[in-house]
Amino acid sequence: MATRNVLKTDSIDSLIYKGKRGDYRGYRKELLAEETPDKIKNLIFCCECGGVSRKPRLPDGRTICTPCSKGTRATVDSRVDEILVQLKSRCPLSTRGCDWSGQLEDIVQHMSVCVKLRVACVIGCGEVLERCETDGHLKKCPLRRERCEYCGEEVQASGANRHIALCPRHPDGEVSCPYKELGCGVLRIKRKGLDTHLADYSISHQKLMLREIHQLRSENNKLRSEDDKLRDVSERKECENSKKFQYLKRRNLIIHKRIWILLTLAVLGIAI
């Protein structure tokens, strides 16, 4: 069973800076590549956060970085700026093997490309690894996308086997026997073995077809018989309805005739 990666990503911010949040927090003193003389430490180390002061200010002769100087009467000393420009730095990840060294003011730019910085997988699998390992990881990441060489569809690498089973063109994909609905017991077949299956089971498939034909013929005869019965019933009802119509028609004529006679007698004044 694979061991779950429990590493955490590196925060460039916390690797470089120390002290309170602000635009000019002090650098961590661990970044200095050389042993700094005490007389310089007093000028560059913030008396509040202990970091290497950036944009230093000097209240009462002490060095303090800009964020820590809020609320104090601090002035800028150009001598400190000159010292900071000359300070040499090493990568905070030198213990992991990064051999970069350069100007302290270039540390931020270096960290943006440092190969030993721990970062999360850009695809999103949750793996945390050093930046120099990302190219190798992307080739085997379980969430990477790969294109099926048979159907051209892009699928997730972890689901490649599932895709093969469903791929409409992959030779190792599975298909249903065309005679499945007729009762063939072989439900799933490798696509490349379908022709062999049809040849081996040809007689069995013919029997299934004949059985289906007999069933359909029987059902057809039954339906035809029922249709004939319904037609007879319909014809009888139609006949009955026709006779009733003729009877009502004759009754209507008789009634009209009697009304005409009564009206005629009334006009002539003859009592009924």
Side-chain angles (χ1 to χ4, degrees):
M1 183 177 179
T3 303
R4 181 177 175 81
N5 189 314
V6 294
L7 296 176
K8 294 182 178 180
T9 56
D10 291 319
S11 167
I12 296 178
D13 192 80
S14 60
L15 285 171
I16 297 177
Y17 304 120
K18 185 175 182 179
K20 302 176 183 178
R21 283 198 164 276
D23 293 336
Y24 292 104
R25 283 177 294 160
Y27 289 118
R28 288 187 173 278
K29 56 186 178 182
E30 294 86 356
L31 297 177
L32 296 179
E34 303 170 354
E35 187 65 29
T36 308
D38 292 338
K39 63 179 181 179
I40 295 180
K41 286 182 180 180
N42 294 332
L43 288 176
I44 64 174
F45 288 166
C46 174
C47 62
E48 291 292 332
C49 67
V52 179
S53 181
R54 302 169 66 208
K55 296 296 180 180
R57 299 177 180 277
L58 303 176
D60 305 326
R62 298 175 301 158
T63 299
I64 189 170
C65 62
T66 300
C68 294
S69 68
K70 291 182 178 180
T72 64
R73 294 182 178 180
T75 58
V76 178
D77 190 330
S78 59
R79 293 178 304 163
V80 182
D81 283 337
E82 294 174 0
I83 294 174
L84 290 175
V85 172
Q86 299 176 14
L87 288 178
K88 299 293 182 180
S89 174
R90 62 184 176 186
C91 178
L93 302 179
S94 58
T95 54
R96 296 183 195 167
C98 180
D99 57 1
W100 179 87
S101 63
Q103 300 291 343
L104 182 59
E105 58 186 11
D106 295 331
I107 188 66
V108 176
Q109 181 179 355
H110 163 69
M111 293 307 297
S112 66
V113 295
C114 179
V115 296
K116 292 298 180 178
L117 190 76
R118 286 175 181 159
V119 295
C121 170
V122 295
I123 300 178
C125 73
E127 189 79 7
V128 176
L129 60 163
E130 292 180 355
R131 190 177 273 144
C132 59
E133 300 172 333
T134 54
D135 289 343
H137 168 74
L138 293 178
K139 295 178 181 178
K140 58 182 182 180
C141 177
L143 298 186
R144 71 188 185 278
R145 306 289 293 182
E146 294 181 341
R147 188 177 298 278
C148 175
E149 61 179 306
Y150 295 96
C151 69
E153 181 182 350
E154 280 197 355
V155 296
Q156 202 171 84
S158 58
N161 292 335
R162 183 168 59 254
H163 171 74
I164 289 174
L166 301 174
C167 177
R169 296 183 180 178
H170 200 291
D172 290 330
E174 294 183 345
V175 295
S176 299
C177 173
Y179 296 90
K180 173 185 175 182
E181 300 299 329
L182 298 181
C184 180
V186 183
L187 302 180
R188 305 297 294 177
I189 313 164
K190 294 289 187 182
R191 180 174 285 102
K192 60 185 178 182
L194 180 59
D195 291 341
T196 302
H197 166 75
L198 294 176
D200 293 344
Y201 285 76
S202 60
I203 297 177
S204 175
H205 291 160
Q206 290 175 11
K207 290 180 179 179
L208 291 173
M209 290 179 66
L210 288 174
R211 186 182 68 179
E212 185 71 12
I213 291 172
H214 289 318
Q215 289 178 352
L216 291 173
R217 182 173 295 172
S218 176
E219 291 178 4
N220 184 59
N221 292 334
K222 184 178 179 181
L223 291 172
R224 182 177 296 173
S225 176
E226 292 178 355
D227 183 62
D228 291 340
K229 290 179 181 179
L230 290 172
R231 187 179 291 110
D232 290 342
V233 172
S234 177
E235 289 177 353
R236 283 198 301 270
K237 286 186 176 181
E238 185 177 350
C239 182
E240 291 174 358
N241 290 336
S242 178
K243 289 179 180 179
K244 189 174 182 179
F245 174 76
Q246 293 299 327
Y247 168 76
L248 293 174
K249 185 177 181 180
R250 287 195 300 271
R251 288 273 301 178
N252 191 41
L253 289 174
I254 293 170
I255 291 171
H256 277 284
K257 187 175 182 180
R258 291 186 65 184
I259 292 173
W260 181 81
I261 293 172
L262 290 172
L263 289 173
T264 302
L265 293 173
V267 172
L268 297 174
I270 302 174
I272 299 175

